[in-house]
């Protein structure tokens, strides 16, 4: 398939995990790619894909609006337009019952899992409105209903709401805004940890409660693969989904989130 030929796509959080695979597959399908991450590891994509695709790799802290704006500006400067934005930055930092979260931890979760998507959507609107179209896919989570991550769930609930609301405002101007809500996803060990601190036995037990509840809540009683997540993201980003907007698609083996 070559669904993204002649399209310019930004993928955030592209250094590892779901975002990295989205970047690889967009490039394989012909996109001119802007891969962004806070980690320098994102530059590996230049070596990996640069022979076969047009790739720009950028480091940026997307918790800051100015950084999101800079990324969009550099993408448009390099490639002249912006067709696809995949907002993938996010991920729970802590796993524990809500009474154990400190104020600064709650804020950090919302900054990590809501603001990068809000900022990048805002920054991407100008080029997409000017050219009269575009597709935004926000990576949310089925964790909007689940244990031991209230702040993350609240942030992802915000992602679902901004997806729907922005779709209302932009549908008649050619922009589609959708989200996927991944369920538990098998991935290799993270080279960039979400939380570098050593986990206590109690924290490991709380994390295990998340894993058990996630498997239980899925009808298929299993985690998904990264490629099962990426397939849904690429579908929503592509013209195959041309009559779909404002939707959060659960990709959780039957767990609707
Ligand atoms: N893995 C899962 O089981 C799962 C389940 C449900 C939802 N999700 C969602 O899918 C998305 C990707 O998950 P993952 O497990 O692949 O994530 P991950 O934690 O493995 O990778 C996230 C990437 O984002 C980057 N990043 C973090 N903060 C950033 C910032 N401020 N600016 C720029 N880059 C930043 C990190 O450096 C990292 O490369 C996340 O939004 C996550 O919430 C994942």
């Amino acid at each position: 398939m070559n669904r993204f030929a002649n399209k310019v796509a930004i993928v955030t959080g592209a250094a590892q995990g779901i975002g990295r695979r989205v970047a690889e597959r967009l490039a394989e399908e012909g996109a001119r790619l802007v891969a962004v991450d806070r980690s320098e590891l994102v530059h590996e994509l230049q070596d990996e894909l640069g022979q076969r695709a047009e790739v720009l790799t950028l480091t940026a802290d997307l918790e800051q609006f100015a950084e999101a704006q800079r990324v969009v500006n550099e993408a448009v400067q390099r490639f002249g337009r912006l067709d696809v934005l995949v907002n993938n930055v996010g991920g729970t930092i802590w796993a524990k019952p809500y009474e154990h979260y400190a104020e600064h931890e709650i804020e950090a979760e919302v900054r990590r899992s809501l603001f990068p998507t809000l900022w990048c959507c805002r920054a991407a609107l100008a080029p997409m409105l000017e050219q009269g179209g575009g597709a935004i896919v926000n990576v949310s989570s089925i964790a909007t209903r689940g244990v031991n991550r209230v702040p993350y769930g609240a942030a992802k609930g915000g992602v679902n709401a901004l997806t729907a609301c922005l779709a209302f405002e932009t549908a008649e101007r050619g922009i589609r805004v959708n989200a996927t809500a991944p369920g538990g996803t098998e991935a290799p060990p993270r080279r960039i940890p979400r939380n570098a601190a050593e986990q206590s036995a109690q924290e490991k037990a709380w994390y295990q409660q998340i894993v058990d509840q996630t498997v239980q809540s899925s009808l298929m009683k299993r985690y998904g693969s990264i490629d099962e997540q990426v397939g849904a993201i690429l579908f929503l980003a592509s013209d195959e989904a041309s009559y779909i907007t404002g939707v959060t698609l659960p990709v959780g083996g039957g767990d609707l989130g």
Side-chain angles (χ1 to χ4, degrees):
M1 284 192 285
N2 218 19
R3 292 175 291 181
F4 299 97
N6 301 318
K7 297 205 177 193
V8 177
I10 295 178
V11 183
T12 73
Q16 69 180 8
I18 294 171
R20 183 164 183 140
R21 193 75 191 113
V22 168
E24 290 167 347
R25 288 195 35 196
L26 281 170
E28 282 163 19
E29 288 205 41
R32 286 177 286 164
L33 179 70
V34 182
V36 190
D37 203 284
R38 196 159 54 177
S39 165
E40 298 282 338
L41 291 176
V42 74
H43 297 308
E44 292 177 353
L45 283 168
Q46 191 70 59
D47 298 333
E48 183 189 326
L49 303 171
Q51 302 285 346
R52 290 169 280 140
E54 283 187 75
V55 181
L56 174 65
T57 55
L58 298 172
T59 54
D61 177 1
L62 296 172
E63 291 181 17
Q64 313 300 323
F65 177 68
E67 291 281 88
Q69 187 66 70
R70 174 175 65 80
V71 164
V72 169
N73 290 349
E74 289 195 34
V76 173
Q77 203 169 19
R78 169 73 179 268
F79 294 121
R81 54 187 294 117
L82 175 59
D83 301 289
V84 170
L85 168 65
V86 178
N87 284 309
N88 168 75
V89 168
T92 195
I93 307 168
W94 292 276
K96 51 188 171 183
Y98 194 44
E99 67 264 31
H100 296 287
Y101 275 88
E103 180 183 354
H104 73 275
E105 293 171 336
I106 296 167
E107 282 189 1
E109 294 280 10
V110 175
R111 275 200 307 274
R112 170 78 58 90
S113 288
L114 176 59
F115 276 95
T117 299
L118 270 176
W119 295 150
C120 289
C121 284
R122 175 66 183 83
L125 280 179
M128 287 187 175
L129 287 170
E130 194 180 327
Q131 74 202 19
I136 297 174
V137 183
N138 300 323
V139 182
S140 180
S141 175
I142 50 94
T144 46
R145 289 172 65 86
V147 297
N148 292 355
R149 32 191 186 165
V150 165
Y152 171 71
K156 291 299 196 179
V159 169
N160 296 351
L162 83 88
T163 298
C165 292
L166 188 56
F168 267 83
E169 292 184 14
T170 57
E172 289 177 76
R173 294 183 283 172
I175 300 174
R176 295 184 304 102
V177 190
N178 291 295
T180 66
T185 304
E186 297 283 1
R190 289 193 170 90
R191 295 161 75 196
I192 310 153
R194 288 178 177 176
N195 180 346
E198 186 80 16
Q199 269 189 328
S200 68
Q202 175 64 84
E203 285 167 333
K204 284 181 186 158
W206 282 329
Y207 189 79
Q208 189 58 44
Q209 286 174 353
I210 288 184
V211 173
D212 295 344
Q213 181 253 298
T214 301
V215 172
Q216 270 312 310
S217 302
S218 92
L219 302 184
M220 295 181 184
K221 306 296 177 219
R222 68 168 176 86
Y223 268 38
S225 68
I226 285 185
D227 274 308
E228 285 173 319
Q229 296 305 333
V230 175
I233 294 166
L234 262 63
F235 165 67
L236 289 173
S238 78
D239 291 342
E240 289 183 317
S242 56
Y243 197 45
I244 302 175
T245 196
V247 164
T248 296
L249 175 66
V251 187
D255 185 348
L256 302 182

